[in-house]
Amino acid sequence: MTNDPGRNVNDVSPRDEGAPYWLDKSSSGRGKLWLLVLAIVLVAAGGGYYFWTKVYTPPAPPPPPPAPAPSVQAPPAPPPAAEAPQPIQHPIEPQPAEQAPTSLPPLEASDLQAGEALAGLLGAGAVAQYFYPDHIIQRIVATVDNLPRKKAPASVMPLKPVAGAFAMAKNGDAMTISPDNAARYAPYVSLLHAVNAKKMVQVYSYFYPLFQKAYQDLGYPNRYFNDRLFETIDDLLAAPEPREPIALAQPKVLYEFADPDLESRSAGQKIMMRMGADNEAKVKAKLREIRRALVNR
């Protein structure tokens, strides 16, 4: 486990304070931990119940107060109105008939085709090395939705964790992000840099109905995923570019950015700052290229 600023082993998804609908929590380490905690609570409660009923006999409760006279009750409040559909800012236009997808699989069976598409963009070896093979589209959608928020749980990301431990430098009581930390992100930055932005957008457009379905399943039936993608790209492009080395604080167990303004930033912007100035500049350049390709598709 790394000790990156802003990361916490108890991070959860923003929509329901738990893992998304497609993540089987019972099979995760955290799920097993909660089962253990629940078992301890039940055993403790059972022991308390045994003590309460077998060792200590409480006095009889007082009689209940007389029932109040019937009164006219106000009608129940109407249920809250459903969220109105949001106007689409960045529509994905229908593809020409000769290019339109004719055999898209259902979302829950899309991993094979999505994995093959990723392999076509990045190479099969890179996909096997860096990507999780399951729920590819759902993971991408959840991560895009999470990055502009305060937390982006690693448990729902499509990419495997960055290798190695978070590198911190210490000089007396002063702590900073070590320059060595940037090297951990270099393979991912190189992978992104090698992607053809136009082809990436073509693949994205082809699979867009499945991206939209995954976004609706995440809890946004009246919103448009491509608009959220633009919001996320713009949030990442707005990440600060602080002078290095970046100062850290450790108020408890995890490291934080010492500057309150940096610490208050979104999860995505914190990732950008953690990867080092050179990597951040390269990622921003590629994001601008991808954004232009999305606009001019």
Side-chain angles (χ1 to χ4, degrees):
M1 178 179 68
T2 59
N3 200 4
D4 287 6
R7 280 193 68 185
N8 190 307
V9 294
N10 293 319
D11 280 349
V12 293
S13 75
R15 190 65 183 169
D16 62 357
E17 300 303 319
Y21 66 97
W22 45 262
L23 187 63
D24 182 4
K25 292 181 286 185
S26 65
S27 63
S28 67
R30 183 170 58 189
K32 293 177 182 177
L33 175 61
W34 277 113
L35 288 175
L36 176 61
V37 171
L38 179 60
I40 293 173
V41 170
L42 289 174
V43 169
Y49 178 78
Y50 176 83
F51 175 82
W52 184 256
T53 57
K54 299 298 182 181
V55 179
Y56 174 70
T57 303
S71 60
V72 178
Q73 297 184 1
E83 181 187 40
Q86 302 294 311
I88 297 174
Q89 303 296 323
H90 303 281
I92 295 287
E93 300 296 339
Q95 294 183 331
E98 65 274 11
Q99 299 178 12
T102 58
S103 59
L104 278 180
L107 176 62
E108 61 274 11
S110 63
D111 284 334
L112 179 60
Q113 284 195 27
E116 290 174 346
L118 277 176
L121 289 170
L122 306 172
V127 172
Q129 181 176 358
Y130 294 112
F131 283 80
Y132 290 111
D134 65 305
H135 301 98
I136 295 171
I137 290 177
Q138 295 97 322
R139 287 179 182 274
I140 293 173
V141 168
T143 299
V144 167
D145 186 54
N146 283 335
L147 286 174
R149 304 181 187 275
K150 294 301 181 184
K151 295 182 179 181
S155 59
V156 300
M157 288 187 176
L159 290 169
K160 297 175 183 178
V162 176
F166 174 68
M168 181 272 294
K170 195 168 185 178
N171 184 8
D173 293 333
M175 296 181 294
T176 60
I177 298 179
S178 170
D180 297 337
N181 196 59
R184 301 167 57 225
Y185 294 89
Y188 295 83
V189 175
S190 297
L191 192 66
L192 176 65
H193 182 71
V195 174
N196 183 300
K198 185 176 181 179
K199 290 183 178 179
M200 175 188 286
V201 170
Q202 289 174 345
V203 170
Y204 169 65
S205 299
Y206 180 87
F207 282 95
Y208 187 76
L210 300 185
F211 282 95
Q212 181 62 27
K213 176 64 165 59
Y215 192 49
Q216 292 173 337
D217 289 350
L218 197 62
Y220 304 102
N222 295 315
R223 298 189 186 184
Y224 198 63
F225 175 70
N226 199 49
D227 289 345
R228 185 58 170 171
L229 177 61
F230 272 83
E231 291 172 1
T232 298
I233 291 175
D234 290 342
D235 182 74
L236 295 174
L237 290 175
E241 299 174 7
R243 178 176 298 181
E244 296 182 325
I246 302 176
L248 298 173
Q250 193 177 20
K252 295 181 181 178
V253 177
L254 302 177
Y255 295 114
E256 296 179 357
F257 292 104
D259 185 337
D261 176 62
L262 302 185
E263 181 59 28
S264 69
R265 298 290 178 146
S266 68
Q269 292 189 6
K270 288 181 180 180
I271 293 173
M272 296 286 283
M273 292 184 286
R274 279 201 300 268
M275 66 175 58
D278 290 343
N279 287 333
E280 181 177 356
K282 293 176 182 177
V283 171
K284 284 184 174 180
K286 195 66 178 184
L287 287 174
R288 293 187 186 100
E289 182 183 348
I290 293 171
R291 196 184 192 284
R292 287 194 298 269
L294 283 167
V295 171
N296 299 321
R297 54 177 297 278

